Amino acid sequence: MQTHEIRDRFTQHFVDAGHTAVPSASLILDDPTLLFVNAGMVPFKPYFLGQQNPPFENRTATSIQKCVRTLDIDEVGITTRHNTFFQMAGNFSFGGYFKEGAIRNAWSLLTKPVAEGGFGLDPERLWVTVYLDDDEAADIWENIVGVPAERIQRMGMEDNYWSMGVPGPCGPCSEIYYDRGPDYGAEGGPEADEHRYMEIWNLVFMQYERGPSDENGNFEILGELPQKNIDTGLGIERVACLLQGVDNVYETDLLRPVINVAEELTGATYNENHDNDVRFRVIADHTRTAMMLILDGVTPSNEGRGYILRRLMRRVIRSARLLGAESKTLESFLATVMDTMSPSFPEIEDNRDRILRVAATEEKAFLRTLESGTELFDRTAASIKEAGKTTVGGHQAFELHDTYGFPIDLTLEMAAEAGLEVDMDGFNAEMTAQRERAKADNKAKKHGHADESVYRQWVDDNPTEFLGYEQLTADATVLGLVRGGQSVTTAKAGDEIEVILDVTPLYAESGGQLADRGRLVAGDTVIEVKDVQKIAKRVFVHKATVVSGGVELGMSVKAEVDETWRHGARQAHTATHLIHGALRQVLGPTAVQAGSLNRPGYLRFDFNYTEQLSDEQLEEIALIANQVVDADYPVNTVETTLDEAKAMGALALFGENYGDNVRVVEVAGPFSTELCGGTHVASSAQIGPVAVLGESSVGSGARRIEAYSGMDAFRYYSREAALVSGVASTLKAKSDDLPARISQLTERLKAAEKEIAALHQQQLMSNTAALVDEAETLGDVTVLIRQLPDGVTGGDLRTVGSDLRGKLAGRPAVVVLASRNDAKLPFVVAATAEAVDMGVKAGDLVKTFGEYVDGRGGGKPDMAQGSGATPEGAEAGFRAVKDALGGL
């Protein structure tokens, strides 16, 4: 039974029992406590916690939820039952049925004959566990369902009691296990051997309320819940193992094809040695998880969800290299996973190109990292062993991480493979030191690791006077020159130099506003200023290039701000205040600034908020900001004490350290009053239009709005207007009618695609009757071998093969089909029950055929499939299959 059919049967069983079918939620929910959805009940938490009333008829629901768990990522492949991505089928009751209903529903689906929509498992091989004192559940299992007492085992809190880990709902569990037989381990039920006895279903009886945990993890039961709930979870992958007759989750129809492709691309063979088997499983598991994460919008990065994705993808790439791959593999693995998963997740096809693009970019980058980092690690490991040591030093591991971009988890893996340990205390100390350097570098950005003591003389004796609020030019004296981290007295044309002046009109980067651009001029000397940074909040360091002439200490120069740059920066920074004020009006006072960046014409504004903003909220924020622009309010600045500023209601932002004297910027009175040292326009109308581009998540509980201001906003609106006009012209519709018109066209396109797919299927199936007439007899076996027209996919071949097998039922018959599909040749072998009884094994025939087309495949005795890389060998493969059948 294919996995997608297992899903369908589960859902239908509970829909027939009165449950509402709920689609899987995204792996990424707006829940600050979770990196990914890790259990089927997560999307239903508001109903279990009583925060919302369930909107489902009969107060019951069923779903098959996408889940990802990565805490024990290093165990993947070592055990044969662990996946980072899995599908959790669940049924839920919110105050409806309780223990007896949940137990009956589960038992019925598991044991009901396949012909009646069940899974057809042998009830004699099912065992159950209950919580130690849950006599009620034990009684239902024994006296109502009929499970013998000797197959009901009681287990403790660690195994059979559930809570969220915090005060709230809790309750006992009952788990269902399948006995896989003596080949898998010792007798005695789940308490004796959970490898032989595979857990397939967990029933949670949510009936109590618990208090907080003590230091030992114990908690008090406060009483019964006013509403008793049911939360159950059946592992789709584990049931697929049982119903497909395979040993583990890596050999089911969803993952084994990936291993087959990995064998083709690496030249290694699965099931030959343990280390390689682990690598094959890592490839299969992590590829699928990575694909599902990219599908739901995660992109590789160095933090949070993106880091998890990057780590998974890099483990796939490295495992393939260790198996023998010499070229790129990730795209092939992902394409295979998308083929196997698409029947259950049709949205994959719409995102196929995007997913493959992400994979290609990541693999290209990591292969470069892997080459340089692996070479360094090998040299390091060899030198450590030569010295008779067993530990990779913390500084060595940090160098791999910091210089070569080598993740520490990869270093740990490679060290373990080399029989070495890693000094993690030393590594963590290096990381801490780096964070401290980064903190300092934030204050004096772009000074690298220069010794800041070089600036000490100016910090102590000659702090820079900033004149830029009132003027854009100033006569200044060169007090200091720094080149390459060293104080110098002169610099010539072409030198990169840092200049310290007694006064300056150029703004130094701070408060999210980028530094001014400008120049220093004195006669023939022209120095282009590209950046200005503050040291100790007192000295302005002008990072510059000497374009012509020369400069020396004591020289008088005219410092000039690039007026165009400053004007755009002032517009963007003042627009940031407007966005903040509008946000607080729309979302309330809890939406406070968490960071910002302002450059001419553009701003991004980070704020603390846990929910995605709606289109309506974004429109309202943009409207309010532009209303303030239109009203042309004066932008007032006041210099005062910190206490007086707070008394005025001025906002102090995201942990800034303010001195005793501060600058308050006020726009439209109470609408926006903030502490801010940036440069601003004189009145709100000078900002020009503000165009809100959108908002996104930038971490747990934080979101980001991006916008244009001034001419950049005008140009943005002009481009949008031109785009809308062009689309309206093409569709011959008014601009206001475009949403409805595009929606209508989209629906028509979807309908046409469905119709084309249906016609394609009908065309294939319409020819099966004629094909049956062409079957030939080899001894006692009827054989139908055909290469179908080009372009028939492996899935369609399977459908046609199954249909032909049905038409040939009642006699020993074998169907062998293939079709050229681009440079590949998918092929299928299907055998009737009578042929199987004679000794035919479709899986063996698939391997025989595969030898002639450079392909591999597998399956069950009655149905198997594969794919080859040399379509030209098909005729020889067909003859080989005939020869094999002729010997029966």
Side-chain angles (χ1 to χ4, degrees):
M1 187 180 297
Q2 299 295 293
T3 300
H4 65 271
E5 183 180 348
I6 295 171
R7 289 168 44 99
D8 292 344
R9 283 173 180 257
F10 183 93
T11 301
Q12 192 59 51
H13 174 79
F14 284 100
V15 168
D16 291 343
H19 295 64
T20 299
V22 179
S24 172
S26 169
L27 286 166
I28 304 167
L29 288 186
D30 192 11
D31 185 335
T33 67
L34 290 176
L35 202 60
F36 304 112
V37 171
N38 59 5
M41 60 81 64
V42 168
F44 301 97
K45 277 171 61 175
Y47 313 128
F48 287 128
L49 295 174
Q51 298 168 344
Q52 298 178 27
N53 290 320
F56 316 119
E57 188 178 357
N58 301 326
R59 301 180 70 84
T60 59
T62 184
S63 73
I64 299 177
Q65 175 61 43
K66 300 179 288 189
C67 300
V68 167
R69 293 179 188 169
T70 58
L71 289 177
D72 46 0
I73 189 173
D74 296 321
E75 295 300 311
V76 171
I78 297 174
T79 70
T80 56
R81 288 188 290 169
H82 180 83
N83 290 139
T84 52
F85 171 87
F86 57 96
Q87 302 174 73
M88 184 60 74
N91 57 286
F92 311 94
S93 171
F94 312 99
Y97 61 79
F98 198 48
K99 290 184 182 179
E100 182 176 342
I103 290 171
R104 283 180 177 275
N105 276 325
W107 188 261
S108 172
L109 176 59
L110 291 176
T111 60
K112 189 165 52 177
V114 172
E116 297 176 16
F119 293 149
L121 295 180
D122 181 359
E124 299 300 318
R125 302 183 74 168
L126 295 177
W127 290 62
V128 297
T129 62
V130 297
Y131 183 58
L132 289 173
D133 62 4
D134 192 356
D135 296 332
E136 180 185 3
D139 181 68
I140 295 170
W141 280 117
E142 181 178 0
N143 297 315
I144 295 179
V145 174
V147 178
E150 60 270 19
R151 295 212 309 272
I152 302 173
Q153 296 183 333
R154 295 180 184 251
M155 292 191 175
M157 181 164 287
E158 184 177 347
D159 295 298
N160 278 67
Y161 206 91
W162 175 89
S163 81
M164 292 185 185
V166 295
C170 65
C173 306
S174 182
E175 296 174 333
I176 306 174
Y177 292 78
Y178 183 84
D179 179 5
R180 298 199 289 170
D183 290 345
Y184 290 89
E187 294 185 6
E191 65 182 10
D193 189 334
E194 288 198 9
H195 180 68
R196 169 175 172 170
Y197 299 88
M198 181 188 285
E199 178 194 342
I200 56 176
W201 207 327
N202 183 22
L203 315 174
V204 175
F205 308 130
M206 213 178 291
Q207 64 186 111
Y208 300 113
E209 181 180 2
R210 57 157 284 187
S213 301
D214 62 20
E215 62 275 9
N216 298 317
N218 301 315
F219 52 82
E220 180 184 0
I221 300 298
L222 303 179
E224 290 204 349
L225 293 172
Q227 171 183 292
K228 296 179 180 179
N229 303 315
I230 288 294
D231 161 25
T232 85
L234 171 138
I236 291 289
E237 282 77 9
R238 293 190 178 188
V239 172
C241 282
L242 303 178
L243 297 184
Q244 294 175 18
V246 296
D247 282 344
N248 59 69
V249 293
Y250 298 97
E251 296 177 5
T252 64
D253 59 321
L254 296 187
L255 292 182
R256 181 60 203 234
V258 187
I259 292 177
N260 294 341
V261 172
E263 288 181 312
E264 295 175 16
L265 296 178
T266 65
T269 302
Y270 184 58
N271 273 337
E272 281 196 348
N273 71 71
H274 178 264
D275 289 345
N276 277 357
D277 287 352
V278 170
R279 292 169 184 137
F280 277 117
R281 294 168 190 152
V282 165
I283 289 170
D285 172 87
H286 288 7
T287 301
R288 180 172 65 168
T289 305
M291 188 275 292
M292 297 303 294
L293 290 178
I294 299 171
L295 178 67
D296 279 4
V298 182
T299 54
S301 70
N302 288 328
E303 58 184 21
R305 298 181 178 110
Y307 173 71
I308 296 294
L309 172 60
R310 172 161 285 166
R311 186 180 177 195
L312 292 168
M313 296 171 80
R314 290 184 169 188
R315 280 170 62 92
V316 170
I317 297 164
R318 181 166 177 269
S319 295
R321 302 279 281 194
L322 291 173
L323 287 171
E326 296 180 352
S327 58
K328 296 178 181 178
T329 57
L330 194 53
E331 290 183 75
S332 296
F333 295 151
L334 280 167
T336 305
V337 166
M338 287 189 277
D339 289 342
T340 64
M341 298 294 287
S342 289
S344 297
F345 301 95
E347 63 271 23
I348 289 172
E349 287 304 319
D350 295 334
N351 291 274
R352 179 178 287 265
D353 291 343
R354 176 178 64 85
I355 292 169
L356 292 177
R357 281 198 303 272
V358 171
T361 301
E362 182 66 13
E363 184 165 27
K364 182 178 179 181
F366 184 57
L367 287 177
R368 291 196 300 267
T369 298
L370 195 61
E371 183 176 350
S372 56
T374 300
E375 183 179 342
L376 176 60
F377 178 85
D378 289 343
R379 290 201 305 268
T380 300
S383 65
I384 290 170
K385 290 180 177 180
E386 286 174 8
K389 298 179 181 180
T390 60
T391 302
V392 178
H395 68 285
Q396 294 167 314
F398 178 76
E399 182 184 8
L400 278 165
H401 163 82
D402 193 47
T403 305
Y404 294 90
F406 226 51
I408 183 60
D409 52 84
L410 192 52
T411 299
L412 287 167
E413 285 183 19
M414 294 176 67
E417 290 167 0
L420 300 174
E421 297 180 344
V422 177
D423 175 14
M424 286 304 297
D425 290 339
F427 173 81
N428 290 331
E430 294 277 0
M431 286 294 292
T432 300
Q434 185 198 51
R435 292 189 189 101
E436 292 302 319
R437 288 194 297 269
K439 253 185 176 177
D441 197 46
N442 256 349
K443 297 176 182 177
K445 193 177 178 185
K446 301 171 189 170
H447 284 277
H449 298 300
D451 183 357
E452 289 189 8
S453 63
V454 71
Y455 307 104
R456 178 59 55 192
Q457 57 179 305
W458 302 293
V459 171
D460 292 339
D461 302 326
N462 299 102
T464 309
E465 181 182 359
F466 178 59
L467 306 177
Y469 292 132
E470 293 81 23
Q471 58 196 69
L472 297 181
T473 63
D475 294 324
T477 301
V478 177
L479 300 181
L481 297 171
V482 176
R483 184 174 62 227
Q486 301 293 321
S487 179
V488 296
T489 58
T490 63
K492 62 183 184 303
D495 285 350
E496 299 289 327
I497 196 76
E498 295 177 353
V499 184
I500 292 95
L501 305 174
D502 60 340
V503 298
T504 184
L506 285 94
Y507 182 80
E509 179 178 345
S510 62
Q513 180 177 331
L514 296 186
D516 280 334
R517 302 284 176 87
R519 62 182 188 164
L520 311 178
V521 180
D524 294 336
T525 296
V526 176
I527 303 171
E528 290 290 340
V529 178
K530 300 174 289 185
D531 188 20
V532 186
Q533 297 294 325
K534 284 185 188 178
I535 300 294
K537 294 190 175 182
R538 291 168 59 84
V539 173
F540 284 44
V541 176
H542 302 74
K543 297 174 71 67
T545 301
V546 182
V547 176
S548 62
V551 60
E552 60 185 28
L553 290 180
M555 178 184 284
S556 296
V557 296
K558 181 179 287 293
E560 302 174 345
V561 176
D562 182 326
E563 293 187 27
T564 302
W565 177 277
R566 170 68 75 84
H567 177 62
R570 290 190 302 182
Q571 287 178 309
H573 200 154
T574 315
T576 302
H577 288 245
L578 269 54
I579 292 293
H580 192 188
L583 265 170
R584 291 169 63 82
Q585 278 199 14
V586 174
L587 304 179
T590 59
V592 295
Q593 183 172 346
S596 67
L597 181 143
N598 311 289
R599 65 170 183 258
Y602 168 85
L603 68 92
R604 73 177 188 223
F605 183 88
D606 297 346
F607 58 102
N608 295 321
Y609 203 65
T610 58
E611 299 177 9
Q612 181 178 352
L613 273 61
S614 66
D615 291 341
E616 291 76 15
Q617 288 172 318
L618 283 174
E619 288 178 10
E620 187 176 0
I621 290 165
L623 175 62
I624 292 170
N626 282 287
Q627 285 174 335
V628 175
V629 170
D630 185 61
D632 195 17
Y633 292 108
V635 177
N636 300 312
T637 58
V638 178
E639 292 190 2
T640 183
T641 65
L642 181 59
D643 289 339
E644 289 176 349
K646 290 180 178 178
M648 294 168 58
L651 294 175
L653 304 179
F654 58 98
E656 279 279 358
N657 293 318
Y658 297 97
D660 292 333
N661 294 311
V662 295
R663 195 163 185 266
V664 178
V665 176
E666 175 264 322
V667 186
F671 173 75
S672 175
T673 304
E674 302 183 18
L675 300 182
C676 183
T679 62
H680 299 85
V681 296
S683 68
S684 60
Q686 292 178 6
I687 297 171
V690 178
V692 174
L693 308 180
E695 67 94 38
S696 59
S697 171
V698 290
S700 180
R703 305 203 65 84
R704 171 176 294 169
I705 281 183
E706 296 179 90
Y708 288 139
S709 60
M711 287 303 297
D712 287 88
F714 173 78
R715 283 188 282 267
Y716 170 77
Y717 283 133
S718 295
R719 288 194 303 269
E720 292 292 296
L723 177 63
V724 170
S725 177
V727 174
S729 175
T730 300
L731 297 181
K732 295 181 173 56
K734 295 180 179 178
S735 297
D736 292 345
D737 296 334
L738 280 180
R741 179 75 170 131
I742 292 172
S743 177
Q744 180 187 42
L745 289 173
T746 302
E747 291 303 316
R748 287 172 59 185
L749 179 61
K750 289 180 180 178
E753 289 174 344
K754 288 181 179 178
E755 185 177 352
I756 290 169
L759 289 171
H760 176 67
Q761 191 80 352
Q762 290 173 14
Q763 184 180 21
L764 281 174
M765 303 306 291
S766 67
N767 296 326
T768 57
L771 287 175
V772 169
D773 294 337
E774 298 176 11
E776 57 184 304
T777 301
L778 292 177
D780 295 329
V781 182
T782 299
V783 181
L784 175 55
I785 297 179
R786 285 291 179 275
Q787 181 162 341
L788 298 184
D790 293 352
V792 180
T793 66
D796 286 340
L797 281 177
R798 191 179 183 90
T799 300
V800 174
S802 181
D803 183 67
L804 288 169
R805 179 182 59 185
K807 287 181 165 60
L808 294 169
R811 51 179 158 165
V814 176
V815 177
V816 185
L817 303 175
S819 172
R820 182 188 289 265
N821 204 319
D822 293 330
K824 296 288 187 180
L825 185 81
F827 50 90
V828 165
V829 176
T832 63
E834 292 79 8
V836 172
D837 290 342
M838 286 182 61
V840 171
K841 293 182 179 179
D844 291 346
L845 295 176
V846 156
K847 291 176 182 177
T848 297
F849 183 82
E851 292 176 2
Y852 294 85
V853 294
D854 293 331
R856 284 184 171 86
K860 295 190 292 185
D862 64 337
M863 176 67 77
Q865 67 186 79
S867 179
T870 310
E872 296 77 12
E875 287 301 323
F878 288 146
R879 287 195 297 271
V881 171
K882 281 187 179 182
D883 291 343
L885 291 172
L888 290 176

